[in-house]
Amino acid sequence: MWRALKSAGAGMMRDGAYVLPNSDRSRQVFDEQSVEIKEAGGLGHIVTFEATSPTQNESLLAEGEDG
């Protein structure tokens, strides 16, 4: 699962929490992994947020691409 999330541009925060870029590809990968996680008895949630400025948003997207 980690490899699939990483290939979608995810960055690991801690304790199994990941930050993904807001894109159709990322959402698809996370949805697929979430099904497997739930089948194994785990939890998977998608929480979205907006950056407070265009500069911050660009920085977040660039960091996700460097992943």
Side-chain angles (χ1 to χ4, degrees):
M1 291 184 194
W2 174 80
R3 286 187 181 128
L5 292 171
K6 186 174 179 181
S7 73
M12 185 171 166
M13 292 178 58
R14 61 178 279 170
D15 300 330
Y18 289 85
V19 177
L20 285 85
N22 189 14
S23 69
D24 291 338
R25 167 86 174 113
S26 294
R27 177 61 66 104
Q28 177 186 2
V29 169
F30 187 80
D31 285 343
E32 291 168 359
Q33 297 306 307
S34 182
V35 169
E36 290 186 43
I37 291 167
K38 289 175 183 176
E39 288 174 352
L43 299 172
H45 300 284
I46 297 174
V47 179
T48 61
F49 70 93
E50 291 185 32
T52 59
S53 72
T55 303
Q56 184 184 32
N57 191 57
E58 290 171 15
S59 175
L60 290 168
L61 290 173
E63 289 176 26
E65 291 171 359
D66 292 341

